[in-house]
Amino acid sequence: MARPDKAAAVAELTDQFRNSSAAVLTEYRGLTVAQLKQLRRSLGENAQYAVVKNTLTKIAANEAGITTLDDLFNGPTAVAFVTGDPVESAKGLRDFAKDNPNLIIKGGVLDGKALSADEIKKLADLESREVLLSKLAGAFKGKQTQTAQLFQALPSKLVRTVDALRAKQDEQGGAE
């Protein structure tokens, strides 16, 4: 490959690292082209899976400010660049790796923080962002309902107490 081509490849990879919320490095040795195609589909719409050259990708990662991945650039390497929900892509990688043991998750980076292969698997165990947000909204709604019931109970309790006091006064007043 000529020098300008390498510079263009590094520039493209650098942009992908900068524009991604997460990047996961994998070893794909032994996977067929059909399996790689299936893997790309399982990652979801917000991830791009690219087979890369280690030296160029290492340079691109360093230019993007990511130096924590340097030790992972050995052997046949592919990178999943995630621009959307990293949980969805992590689940896709984990599930694919269960069915295809030739795919090895080496590690990755999430918002600039290095992740080990085990941490990526833990990330895959999380629920998606939408599910977590809906659970949070449900919790807030439940607290609002409890607060509204409390505020409704206070005036009605006050009215019952005043009525009981009136009835007691009427009883005492009628007895004299």
Side-chain angles (χ1 to χ4, degrees), residues 86-153:
V87 173
E88 178 185 353
S89 297
K91 284 182 186 198
L93 283 169
R94 178 200 60 196
D95 294 345
F96 186 86
K98 281 182 185 176
D99 297 335
N100 300 283
N102 287 336
L103 180 74
I104 299 169
I105 298 172
K106 295 179 177 183
V109 63
L110 174 64
D111 294 327
K113 181 188 176 288
L115 297 176
S116 68
D118 290 335
E119 289 172 323
I120 292 170
K121 290 173 186 169
K122 287 178 186 175
L123 180 66
D125 292 336
L126 292 177
E127 293 176 340
S128 71
R129 183 175 189 272
E130 290 78 20
V131 171
L132 292 174
L133 287 175
S134 66
K135 284 184 176 184
L136 182 64
F140 281 139
K141 184 179 178 186
K143 292 296 179 189
Q144 288 174 339
T145 303
Q146 289 175 345
T147 304
Q149 290 171 346
L150 175 68
F151 286 133
Q152 286 176 340

Side-chain angles (χ1 to χ4, degrees), residues 5-124:
D5 291 343
K6 288 183 180 181
V10 169
E12 183 181 339
L13 288 168
T14 302
D15 286 342
Q16 286 182 311
F17 274 113
R18 287 185 179 142
N19 297 330
S20 299
S21 58
V24 180
L25 275 67
T26 64
E27 183 176 321
Y28 63 93
R29 187 186 331 243
L31 293 177
T32 66
V33 173
Q35 288 172 322
L36 287 173
K37 187 176 180 181
Q38 180 186 359
L39 172 59
R40 286 183 173 98
R41 277 196 303 264
S42 70
L43 290 176
E45 296 176 8
N46 297 320
Q48 180 184 1
Y49 191 74
V51 174
V52 294
K53 292 191 175 286
N54 289 334
T55 306
L56 299 180
T57 309
K58 186 176 180 179
I59 293 168
N62 288 331
E63 285 183 11
I66 302 169
T67 57
T68 56
L69 300 177
D70 289 353
D71 296 339
L72 302 178
F73 291 113
N74 50 35
T77 303
V79 182
F81 294 103
V82 182
T83 55
D85 184 11
V87 173
E88 178 185 353
S89 297
K91 284 182 186 198
L93 283 169
R94 178 200 60 196
D95 294 345
F96 186 86
K98 281 182 185 176
D99 297 335
N100 300 283
N102 287 336
L103 180 74
I104 299 169
I105 298 172
K106 295 179 177 183
V109 63
L110 174 64
D111 294 327
K113 181 188 176 288
L115 297 176
S116 68
D118 290 335
E119 289 172 323
I120 292 170
K121 290 173 186 169
K122 287 178 186 175
L123 180 66

Side-chain angles (χ1 to χ4, degrees), residues 138-171:
F140 281 139
K141 184 179 178 186
K143 292 296 179 189
Q144 288 174 339
T145 303
Q146 289 175 345
T147 304
Q149 290 171 346
L150 175 68
F151 286 133
Q152 286 176 340
L154 290 175
S156 65
K157 188 173 182 179
L158 177 65
V159 168
R160 285 193 306 268
T161 304
V162 170
D163 284 345
L165 284 174
R166 258 194 219 137
K168 190 172 182 179
Q169 284 178 345
D170 288 345
E171 256 180 44

